[in-house]
Amino acid sequence: MSNIPADLKYTKSHEWVRTLADGNVEVGITDHAQGALGDLVFVEVPEAGKALKAGDAFAVVESVKAASDVYAPIAGAVLEGNASLGSQPELINSEPYGGGWIARMKPNGALQGLLSAAEYQAHLAAEG
Amino acid sequence: MPFIPHTPEDVEQMLAAIGARKIDDLFDEIPKDLRIESLAGIPEALNEMQVGRLMSERAAQDGTPLNFIGAGAYEHHIPSAVWAVTTRGEFYSAYTPYQAEASQGTLQLIYEYQTMITSLTGMDVSNASLYDGGSAVAEAALMAIRAHRRSKSQRILVPTTLHPNYRRVAVATAGGQGVRFDEVPCPKGTLALADLKKFEGEDITAIVIQQPNFFGLLEDVDAITDWAHAHNMLVIASVNPTSLGILKPPGEWGAKGADIACGDCQPLGVPLSSGGPYAGFMTTRMEHVRQMPGRIVGRTVDLNGRQGFALTLQAREQHIRRGKATSNICTNQGLLVTAATIYLSLLGPEGLARVANECHRNLNELVAALTRLKGVKLAFDRPRFHEAVLQLDRPVAPVLAELARRGIVGGYDLSTDYPELGNALLVCATETRTAADIKAYADALAETLKAAVRAA
Amino acid sequence: MAMLKHPEKIIFEYSRPGRGSYGQWPTEQGSPNAVAADIPENLRRKGKPLLPEVSELEVVRHFTRLSQLNFSIDTHFYPLGSCTMKYNPKACNQFAMLPGFLNRHPLAPEQTGQGFLACMFELQEMLKEVTGMQGVALSPMAGAHGEFAGVAMIRAYHRARGDLARNEIIVPVAAHGTNPATATMCGCVVREIPVNDEGDVDVEALKAAVGPNTAGIMLTNPSTCGVFERRIKEVAKIVHDAGGLLYYDGANLNAILGKVRPGDMGFDVIHMNLHKTFSTPHGGGGPGAGAVGVSARLLPFMPLPVVGKEGDKYRWLTEKDLPQSIGRLSAFMGNAGVLLRAYIYMRMLGREGMHRVGEFATLNANYLMARLAKAGFDPAYPRRRASHEFIITAKKQARELEVTAMDFAKRLLDYGFHAPTTYFPLLVPECLLIEPTETESKEALDGFVDAMVAILREAESQADLVKSAPHTMTVRRLDDVRAARQLDLTWKPAAA
């Protein structure tokens, strides 16, 4: 059973979004996603300044057997990518909602189209 | 039946196990009207003795002329051990090493190859090889575009001193993705900073520098590399591995070194063989390793903690990344890498340097012998390595045809690719050309030129 | 088995300063070895490259030992699906390595290459005949390279007609990974379409996918599911009617050699993996050869060079002859030596041997599938004929015994069989794609079935033995995660 913190928002493509105190957001991939990928060996994080539409591929997570795009859960500009992932991609496996965050973004307006924890839970169940 | 072991009894038992009456029933899902009954255009089968006779005749028909062409493919002595070991069935008839535990031989060999070619080029990492030197330049250009994210232009500078066929392969391979190759004319035979001036201030992704260049001349690689880096370009080196026995490796060019080095392994124990199979090599700096196309082998440990080898960074490749792969390439040129690795092991650092020095000495003797003839002069009197451009006082093609009749392949006619050079001929000598060979060429050329004068 | 049971040192660990294989050098050790004065000081190499300093015997012994760490066709049954690991006849190698062929420079005049060019011309003609295509170009150096040439020709064709919007390549989900990768390399957009429960292309989905942007479709037939695409004529009509072209991925040509031809099915362009169907060696991962064949409308776009014949003389066709060519994909003439091997193989099979390849490859596959099914394994498409290969799904074993397709594959190594292809195609869970080829005897196939049954019994009673296999190789399962996280890609001397 994967961990789905109640205070975060989610996407159907398994990203999570945390709203920070200053109104900016932190994004990463869910515990379920990291479990499906297995041990990560490389993460390509976005460069600061990049403008994204919701759904744009903005990062790549790579395990031994698979490489997957990570999609921007919201529209906005990248403030910074998580530099620690360069040398420690395994942070996403060990702390998907903490040290394994992928990018911080400044959203364009209000957050739209995201799932609540309960909705994401239901989505996972439906995906089987 | 050649290569098919089945006896009639086998076939009967196998069909019974399947529940079919005859072999043809196994094709019953193919629409009837698509089926063919015979292949009239295929000749009747030859047995091994007959095919051996045919091939011996064909090979003998081509003879063994004395060769003085280089132009990207070089005749070197190939130690007997190279192909005696390379053609062992365990190398020759093995597949790509996907099942690592059953392929440690091939994997360890590639790791050793990566070590040798990385050191030879002065870079950090190598892949397991690409198709050939031409496709390696094309892949290097695509890689440079992936690696150099701040450059948006997809423009690559290619001096005309880069092998003309390498330029053609690069355009045919990368052109479809919108990569633009800007040719830089080199009237002096080498790339001059003055000719590059007009590109300053433009967004250019990379420049390709061939050393020694297509004319055999040595480029001022330090100055060009520094110029390119100062103008925010990556540097792709296309180099001859034999020359690296004595010439400065790309990793040490200029203040920071080239960013990608590539070339052809053919001079390292691979026969000329009408153009292939050869093997392209590619090395780069660690920071760009994930942008490198092709297979890469890494050393790791097994469940018991013992050293072992495996393909690594596979997520870049087509079988996982599919449409987003760094390249569609699957194979390396494994068997040729095997030959090159054995060749480099037999030569070692000193043997390779001796081969390079001997080639160069012979080329200088060849140039001296040929330019003594009336009507032959050296086109560019500048530092060079084992190849040179000669200028004749008449069209080259008829001269080469006459030399061929005398059993001499006298060089490569540059008039198609470089009409601006006039009657230019590219000649090469390696360590395999003796003083007697050089004299034979000089004598034949003297007679050819004289005969032409008499005929005129 | 003549496999080496202990690891082999890395060649640099044999190296001793001053040792060497002197007989291989052009000048004696001890003679002067100075760089000529005319090579400027600033362009010279300063340090020695890291190459081993070893004797000839050490080299021969080291690399012979490395060879003994490999499985190969010459030593093991190699039922690797989609790879056609058939016997590579020794004659093909011996006769391709005659000195007259090996010593010929690629740019030598045509007058000194008539024997070689005759072989290439006749190879083009024979490949046209077996595929039903109108032209063949030999220079692509691997299957993926041939795919590139093929899709580039499709692009060039549409462009030459001013049909500039056509940039979509349709690919079934079961396709080889090279198909979408190639389409991308050619600047096209990939559209994937599903495959139905029987392994055929979903024709309704295809109808919905084609349109004014369709450049073409890439198909393998028999497909990667190991079954013949029964509605191929309908598929061809749908794509052609929409203005697209059909690309045939020749990976599975062995299945139908001499029985049915891609040209007759309606394909416009194909690549042939000569290292599969025409038995040139795989060489531990190349060199391959990916000759391409085209229908009449793509003739002007073929990659160069092509061999032409005028009277009784052969010559290279160049840009002058084919001004609309997609260009050159190799510096010279592709993998010429590999092409010679394919030529020799085809001459030895001859007219009467071609159809036997398809027949016996298919017989072996169907026999093996029938026996494995009877022994308790599940074919992925039980109601279909196998082509030259078939899929077993270990879904049941994975669920009930927690023994995966990968575990079967690894345990087979202990029984002296190379593993089948695993986890391809991706749409069949826990799949083992098995291709026996026509050159294996009934006894070899029976031995493989016995091993599979023995492993199944082990999985039922001592699953850990299977899950931790292999046990008899020089190494056990390798740590791929470590290999990727702590990159060790070159040997480095221990710090002094």
Side-chain angles (χ1 to χ4, degrees):
Chain A
M1 197 62 230
S2 72
N3 176 17
I4 306 175
D7 57 332
L8 304 182
K9 298 285 189 189
Y10 298 89
T11 66
K12 284 186 179 174
S13 50
H14 310 291
E15 290 87 12
W16 56 260
V17 180
R18 170 182 291 127
T19 304
L20 303 171
D22 59 4
N24 293 325
V25 300
E26 201 167 74
V27 298
I29 64 168
T30 64
D31 186 35
H32 170 82
Q34 71 77 20
L37 285 162
D39 292 325
L40 293 186
V41 298
F42 182 72
V43 182
E44 189 182 303
V45 298
E47 286 174 29
K50 198 167 181 174
L52 297 170
K53 297 190 298 292
D56 283 354
F58 80 114
V60 179
V61 287
E62 187 182 310
S63 69
V64 174
K65 301 277 181 246
S68 304
D69 289 319
V70 183
Y71 302 99
I74 56 156
V78 176
L79 298 170
E80 65 171 314
N82 184 354
S84 311
L85 297 176
S87 56
Q88 294 172 276
E90 61 271 23
L91 283 174
I92 291 185
N93 295 119
S94 56
E95 314 168 27
Y97 301 108
W101 64 276
I102 292 174
R104 296 203 170 112
M105 294 175 62
K106 182 179 174 59
N108 294 348
L111 305 187
Q112 287 175 345
L114 297 173
L115 307 179
S116 68
E119 286 164 339
Y120 180 62
Q121 174 91 57
H123 170 66
L124 282 187
E127 257 193 353
Chain B
M1 292 181 285
F3 318 123
I4 294 175
H6 301 63
T7 65
E9 295 72 36
D10 290 338
V11 174
E12 207 175 299
Q13 289 171 16
M14 292 168 81
L15 285 171
I18 297 166
R21 279 186 312 114
K22 52 187 197 301
I23 291 180
D24 208 50
D25 292 350
L26 304 177
F27 294 89
D28 56 8
E29 291 187 359
I30 299 179
K32 275 265 176 318
D33 56 331
L34 287 177
R35 296 276 304 273
I36 50 166
E37 293 311 321
S38 82
L39 293 165
I42 304 288
E44 281 177 27
L46 300 178
N47 64 31
E48 186 172 307
M49 182 178 74
Q50 292 165 323
V51 86
R53 187 180 302 140
L54 170 74
M55 296 311 285
S56 298
E57 285 166 11
R58 293 265 168 95
Q61 194 183 343
D62 293 351
T64 45
L66 204 51
N67 175 49
F68 291 91
I69 310 188
Y74 301 96
E75 180 187 322
H76 289 287
H77 171 67
I78 300 175
S80 308
V82 172
W83 285 88
V85 178
T86 300
T87 51
R88 283 181 64 89
E90 298 95 326
F91 285 134
Y92 187 80
S93 73
Y95 190 66
T96 299
Y98 285 136
Q99 289 292 335
E101 300 88 345
S103 315
Q104 286 294 299
T106 290
L107 288 163
Q108 181 173 334
L109 184 140
I110 294 171
Y111 180 82
E112 293 176 358
Y113 161 82
Q114 288 174 182
T115 304
M116 293 181 199
I117 208 79
T118 296
S119 171
L120 207 52
T121 53
M123 307 296 281
D124 298 329
V125 289
S126 166
N127 68 10
S129 76
L130 298 164
Y131 301 130
D132 71 357
S135 68
V137 167
E139 290 282 1
L142 291 169
M143 175 182 158
I145 288 164
R146 292 190 296 270
H148 193 349
R149 297 206 190 153
R150 277 172 302 140
S151 169
K152 304 293 175 205
S153 69
Q154 303 205 27
R155 283 175 71 190
I156 310 279
L157 295 186
V158 285
T160 54
T161 52
L162 175 65
H163 196 304
N165 280 354
Y166 286 17
R167 280 181 273 146
R168 292 189 179 103
V169 173
V171 170
T173 306
Q177 292 178 69
V179 181
R180 186 172 137 196
F181 293 90
D182 289 67
E183 292 208 339
V184 186
C186 303
K188 297 207 165 57
T190 54
L191 192 53
L193 286 183
D195 301 326
L196 292 167
K197 194 100 185 137
K198 64 173 177 177
F199 296 103
E200 290 180 4
E202 293 187 39
D203 178 8
I204 308 264
T205 307
I207 182 170
V208 184
I209 309 172
Q210 182 177 340
Q211 179 81 328
N213 73 23
F214 185 64
F215 302 139
L217 301 177
L218 300 185
E219 300 280 3
D220 188 357
V221 289
D222 293 335
I224 303 165
T225 300
D226 288 342
W227 174 86
H229 284 152
H231 294 91
N232 194 30
M233 299 171 203
L234 297 185
V235 172
I236 298 168
S238 173
V239 287
N240 175 335
T242 304
S243 78
L244 295 177
I246 58 172
L247 294 184
K248 183 186 276 189
E252 295 172 16
W253 291 0
K256 292 190 341 209
D259 301 282
I260 303 169
C262 59
D264 202 310
C265 287
Q266 181 277 327
L268 306 176
V270 177
L272 291 170
S273 190
S274 285
Y278 299 165
F281 63 83
M282 178 184 278
T283 60
T284 189
R285 309 211 164 277
M286 188 52 100
E287 63 185 290
H288 300 313
V289 66
R290 277 167 202 278
Q291 306 305 336
M292 191 159 56
R295 297 194 173 118
I296 302 173
V297 171
R299 180 162 63 165
T300 182
V301 295
D302 72 359
L303 282 174
N304 293 346
R306 284 218 294 197
Q307 166 179 291
F309 301 87
L311 294 173
T312 192
L313 299 179
Q314 289 193 78
R316 301 162 303 119
E317 292 188 63
Q318 52 76 26
H319 63 280
I320 293 176
R321 265 310 243 172
R322 298 175 74 85
K324 288 180 174 169
T326 49
S327 166
N328 75 345
I329 196 164
C330 304
T331 44
N332 54 344
Q333 298 271 103
L335 205 63
L336 296 315
V337 163
T338 306
T341 307
I342 297 173
Y343 178 89
L344 286 172
S345 301
L346 287 165
L347 265 70
E350 187 177 345
L352 190 68
R354 281 173 183 272
V355 168
N357 284 325
E358 191 70 5
C359 290
H360 184 62
R361 202 171 64 84
N362 285 343
L363 183 270
N364 282 347
E365 284 184 12
L366 177 69
V367 168
L370 299 183
T371 53
R372 271 197 290 272
L373 304 177
K374 189 169 173 326
V376 182
K377 62 184 184 49
L378 185 62
F380 306 106
D381 192 6
R382 314 171 64 115
R384 58 181 176 246
F385 174 77
H386 97 5
E387 268 179 291
V389 179
L390 302 177
Q391 216 115 36
L392 305 189
D393 62 357
R394 68 199 74 187
V396 172
V399 174
L400 287 179
E402 177 55 28
L403 286 170
R405 274 191 284 279
R406 293 163 186 265
I408 289 174
V409 171
Y412 182 60
D413 181 357
L414 294 176
S415 60
T416 307
D417 291 319
Y418 299 93
E420 67 278 14
L421 294 180
N423 301 318
L425 173 65
L426 183 65
V427 294
C428 173
T430 64
E431 83 281 10
T432 58
R433 291 289 76 87
T434 64
D437 294 342
I438 290 169
K439 183 169 183 306
Y441 185 7
D443 291 349
L445 183 58
E447 282 172 32
T448 302
L449 295 176
K450 262 188 226 147
V453 170
R454 274 200 302 274
Chain C
M1 267 190 293
M3 282 201 62
L4 201 60
K5 292 297 180 196
H6 53 85
E8 169 63 8
K9 285 201 280 191
I10 291 174
I11 188 141
F12 298 97
E13 295 171 338
Y14 291 105
S15 187
R16 295 292 175 271
R19 194 176 286 165
S21 309
Y22 309 121
Q24 310 299 351
W25 300 356
T27 53
E28 292 296 310
Q29 192 202 18
S31 68
N33 181 36
V35 178
D38 60 331
I39 293 187
E41 194 64 40
N42 69 319
L43 296 178
R44 296 185 190 183
R45 183 169 199 116
K46 297 293 181 287
K48 275 205 285 192
L50 180 61
L51 299 177
E53 297 179 71
V54 285
S55 73
E56 182 170 336
L57 172 59
E58 285 172 315
V59 172
V60 169
R61 189 173 287 159
H62 171 72
F63 288 103
T64 301
R65 283 182 177 173
L66 285 190
S67 78
Q68 292 177 313
L69 298 174
N70 278 355
F71 275 35
S72 67
I73 302 173
D74 282 6
T75 54
H76 296 82
F77 178 38
Y78 222 118
L80 200 58
S82 206
C83 299
T84 312
M85 299 297 283
K86 64 167 85 172
Y87 173 59
N88 306 143
K90 299 297 174 189
C92 301
N93 186 51
Q94 184 181 335
F95 300 138
M97 293 192 68
L98 291 167
F101 294 127
L102 289 191
N103 297 336
R104 188 177 173 279
H105 193 284
L107 300 173
E110 286 153 355
Q111 68 195 91
T112 64
Q114 290 296 304
F116 168 73
L117 290 170
C119 296
M120 294 300 101
F121 183 82
E122 290 169 15
L123 177 59
Q124 290 171 187
E125 293 299 306
M126 288 193 290
L127 291 174
K128 275 157 64 175
E129 175 74 7
V130 296
T131 58
M133 306 306 284
Q134 299 302 311
V136 164
L138 299 170
S139 67
M141 290 180 275
H145 212 209
E147 278 184 37
F148 177 87
V151 177
M153 282 189 270
I154 290 175
R155 286 273 286 176
Y157 167 81
H158 291 307
R159 221 174 289 148
R161 292 156 48 92
D163 205 351
L164 303 177
R166 295 191 180 273
N167 73 335
E168 279 183 11
I169 295 283
I170 298 169
V171 173
V173 285
H176 295 111
T178 48
N179 292 173
T182 299
T184 307
M185 269 196 97
C186 291
C188 292
V189 178
V190 180
R191 258 186 100 142
E192 292 203 331
I193 55 167
V195 170
N196 67 23
D197 297 344
E198 295 275 277
D200 290 315
V201 162
D202 182 333
V203 170
E204 293 312 311
L206 175 65
K207 282 181 187 159
V210 296
N213 296 330
T214 302
I217 184 169
M218 298 179 85
L219 285 177
T220 309
N221 193 18
S223 73
T224 52
C225 299
V227 294
F228 192 85
E229 186 66 60
R230 290 171 291 194
R231 296 168 76 178
I232 183 61
K233 285 193 294 184
E234 198 183 340
V235 167
K237 188 168 184 336
I238 292 167
V239 175
H240 280 151
D241 286 351
L245 299 185
L246 276 85
Y247 182 94
Y248 181 88
D249 177 332
N252 293 346
L253 186 62
N254 210 55
I256 55 166
L257 196 61
K259 306 305 284 184
V260 57
R261 308 190 301 175
D264 300 335
M265 295 182 219
F267 285 94
D268 298 285
V269 54
I270 82 168
H271 85 262
M272 295 155 262
N273 300 82
L274 302 185
H275 49 284
K276 297 181 184 179
T277 316
F278 300 105
S279 202
T280 68
H282 283 77
V292 287
V294 297
S295 62
R297 55 181 148 188
L298 291 180
L299 281 171
F301 305 101
M302 287 196 293
L304 294 166
V306 175
V307 181
K309 186 177 186 187
E310 282 163 8
D312 59 352
K313 290 271 182 276
Y314 300 95
R315 71 171 182 92
W316 298 115
L317 302 185
T318 68
E319 286 82 354
K320 284 197 189 108
D321 303 287
L322 291 176
Q324 289 181 288
S325 163
I326 57 162
R328 288 178 190 264
L329 300 178
S330 76
F332 302 109
M333 178 46 204
N335 285 336
V338 177
L339 300 171
L340 276 175
R341 285 166 174 80
Y343 172 76
I344 296 164
Y345 176 75
M346 290 187 86
R347 293 303 305 265
M348 290 171 83
L349 286 185
R351 187 186 308 147
E352 58 274 45
M354 293 294 165
H355 65 93
R356 283 201 297 256
V357 169
E359 287 173 1
F360 284 85
T362 303
L363 175 67
N364 275 1
N366 280 282
Y367 173 70
L368 201 50
M369 181 167 85
R371 284 218 52 202
L372 286 171
K374 207 167 169 199
F377 291 93
D378 296 326
Y381 300 100
R383 288 187 299 279
R384 300 293 307 269
R385 290 281 189 208
S387 60
H388 66 316
E389 64 186 356
F390 60 96
I391 299 172
I392 292 291
T393 170
K395 196 175 169 184
K396 186 174 70 189
Q397 289 79 10
R399 192 178 58 234
E400 293 171 4
L401 308 169
E402 293 186 357
V403 172
T404 64
M406 179 63 78
D407 298 328
F408 274 95
K410 296 297 185 194
R411 186 60 178 152
L412 275 168
L413 303 178
D414 287 329
Y415 281 85
F417 294 97
H418 193 279
T421 299
T422 49
Y423 301 105
F424 178 84
L426 305 169
L427 78 167
V428 179
E430 297 297 333
C431 75
L432 292 158
L433 180 62
I434 301 173
E435 178 181 4
T437 83
E438 74 278 11
T439 59
E440 295 297 333
S441 67
K442 178 173 175 292
E443 293 78 29
L445 307 183
D446 289 339
F448 180 79
V449 174
D450 292 345
M452 287 291 284
V453 169
I455 296 168
L456 186 56
R457 294 291 97 79
E458 289 172 350
E460 288 158 359
S461 58
Q462 37 182 341
D464 281 346
L465 181 70
V466 181
K467 287 160 75 168
S468 59
H471 302 281
T472 61
M473 304 288 107
T474 46
V475 292
R476 300 189 58 204
R477 285 192 205 187
L478 293 155
D479 187 343
D480 292 334
V481 173
R482 177 188 161 121
R485 279 186 184 162
Q486 302 171 35
L487 290 177
D488 174 357
L489 309 179
T490 59
W491 184 84
K492 289 165 194 75

